[in-house]
Amino acid sequence: MKEKNRLNKTTIIIIIVTIIGLFIANRTLDDYKLRIINLCGIYITLGLSMNLINGFTGLFSLGHAGFMAIGAYTVAILTMPIPMKEMNFFMKPMVPFLANIEWHFLPALLMAGIMAGLFGFLIGAPVLRLTDDYLAIATLGFAEIIRVVFTNIQSITNGALGLKGIPNYTNVWWSWGIALLTIGFIVFLMDGSYGKAFKAIREDEIAARSMGINLFKHRVMSFTFGSFLAGIGGGLLAALLGTIDPNMFRITLTFNILLIVVLGGLGSIKGSVISAIIVTVMMEVLRFLDQSMDLGFVQLKGVPGMRMVVFSIILMAVVIFRKEGLLKES
């Protein structure tokens, strides 16, 4: 009991310190640094959403980019002003029932999560009977199908041209507020009976089934929850960047989130939070690797994509030498 009270006090102190730090950062830092802080919060949500599926339940899903795309386009379409929609859809008019609506950010963000969760449920019902590599291929195929569909339904998504002029609602309070809510939700879920069932499925499916756990039900539930949070993260990302297009949601985006999960540790909440911050910051710090560098005595030509090579090497090193990640399972 004393240990639990100590943990509660520590959690409250961390939340208070985080809020104070965000308040100071919001008042003192420039737009570029604030954007990095916003991305850290968004990637915490995305990392935990994938960790729920891959880490806690033991599924091997690679479809996160598809659910993010659903959330991003939902928020963009619902929040974009009507005149801005007319400017974007100059080649082919937008469908009338979407062209004349404009929602506030909160209901649009909730709808983004609901739409992604709904697709997660519809996709998960037939696909989650597969396991391991077959599940990974199926979910990867779904993400690619979503990207291709969004590229071709021009009257809804504006096709390959993408959407510009999305209202910039995302700030440190939205991104980190959602991140803190996600952390609280995952902790609450894992401490309950559903969380224990997820972990049991991950450890030994035969033993879990013999204990009366409905494997299919809990897999679909985990996949739906993770998809919902991925849609929320995609919506926050769209409202931060102000412009989206189908090419943003390629396999590379899923790889970035998978890197956060593996680096932080499968099934580790603290690890995902710390890893999301480290990876997001290092993505910007290592940006110089993609550009030419003048060292005075020699000039090195930049190699586009070199920072992703560095992150790939880091991922391989973690898998080989520390497969449990930065932190062990919480």
Side-chain angles (χ1 to χ4, degrees):
M1 182 64 70
K2 290 182 178 179
E3 185 178 353
K4 187 174 183 180
N5 291 334
R6 194 181 301 114
L7 287 174
N8 290 336
K9 291 179 181 179
T10 303
T11 302
I12 293 173
I13 292 172
I14 291 173
I15 292 174
I16 293 174
V17 171
T18 301
I19 293 174
I20 294 174
L22 292 174
F23 180 79
I24 295 173
N26 198 41
R27 288 296 187 91
T28 59
L29 298 181
D30 56 36
D31 291 341
Y32 173 68
K33 293 176 182 177
L34 284 175
R35 173 166 289 199
I36 296 175
I37 292 175
N38 280 317
L39 287 173
C40 288
I42 294 170
Y43 275 104
I44 287 173
T45 300
L46 294 171
L48 287 173
S49 66
M50 178 173 272
N51 211 347
L52 175 61
I53 299 172
N54 292 30
F56 288 108
T57 315
L59 304 175
F60 190 17
S61 170
L62 294 177
H64 238 55
F67 300 115
M68 286 179 63
I70 293 171
Y73 273 92
T74 300
V75 165
I77 292 170
L78 293 179
T79 61
M80 190 179 296
I82 295 174
M84 186 59 66
K85 290 179 181 178
E86 295 175 355
M87 292 178 61
N88 274 273
F89 290 83
F90 61 90
M91 292 189 65
K92 188 174 183 180
M94 193 177 194
V95 291
F97 74 95
L98 292 176
N100 299 315
I101 61 173
E102 183 179 345
W103 288 15
H104 293 292
F105 185 53
L106 180 58
L109 194 61
L110 290 174
M111 181 56 69
I114 292 171
M115 291 297 295
L118 178 61
F119 272 89
F121 175 79
L122 295 175
I123 295 298
V127 165
L128 290 177
R129 299 185 185 278
L130 303 173
T131 57
D132 300 331
D133 298 343
Y134 301 103
L135 177 60
I137 294 170
T139 51
L140 179 61
F142 160 74
E144 189 64 16
I145 288 171
I146 287 293
R147 190 184 68 80
V148 172
V149 169
F150 281 8
T151 303
N152 287 278
I153 50 174
Q154 196 166 1
S155 58
I156 296 178
T157 64
N158 204 28
L161 296 176
L163 298 174
K164 300 174 179 63
I166 304 168
N168 298 113
Y169 287 110
T170 300
N171 53 32
V172 293
W173 305 116
W174 275 110
S175 58
W176 279 86
I178 297 295
L180 291 174
L181 287 175
T182 303
I183 294 171
F185 170 73
I186 297 295
V187 170
F188 174 78
L189 185 65
M190 289 302 110
D191 287 343
S193 59
Y194 288 118
K196 291 179 175 61
F198 293 158
K199 292 179 182 179
I201 293 172
R202 177 193 64 191
E203 296 300 330
D204 193 325
E205 293 184 0
I206 298 175
R209 186 185 292 110
S210 66
M211 294 170 60
I213 296 175
N214 188 325
L215 302 186
F216 179 71
K217 170 188 170 183
H218 286 85
R219 282 176 176 172
V220 172
M221 185 181 299
S222 172
F223 199 74
T224 303
F225 285 158
S227 303
F228 175 88
L229 293 173
I232 295 289
L236 289 171
L237 188 63
L240 175 67
L241 301 178
T243 178
I244 56 174
D245 65 79
N247 285 330
M248 284 178 53
F249 304 99
R250 291 181 177 272
I251 181 60
T252 307
L253 186 56
T254 300
F255 172 78
N256 291 344
I257 305 168
L258 183 63
L259 173 64
I260 291 172
V261 173
V262 175
L263 187 62
L266 292 171
S268 173
I269 297 174
K270 294 178 183 177
S272 291
V273 173
I274 295 172
S275 178
I277 296 173
I278 292 175
V279 170
T280 305
V281 172
M282 291 304 294
M283 281 283 189
E284 297 300 322
V285 172
L286 295 178
R287 193 176 288 276
F288 70 91
L289 294 173
D290 297 344
Q291 303 169 353
S292 298
M293 292 180 289
D294 189 359
L295 303 179
F297 58 92
V298 64
Q299 185 172 2
L300 301 177
K301 291 185 178 181
V303 180
M306 179 57 68
R307 59 180 176 150
M308 293 309 302
V309 174
V310 172
F311 275 108
S312 300
I313 295 173
I314 293 173
L315 180 60
M316 288 189 292
V318 169
V319 171
I320 294 172
F321 298 107
R322 190 176 174 83
K323 61 181 179 181
E324 69 271 17
L326 296 176
L327 296 175
K328 294 183 179 180
E329 179 184 344
S330 56

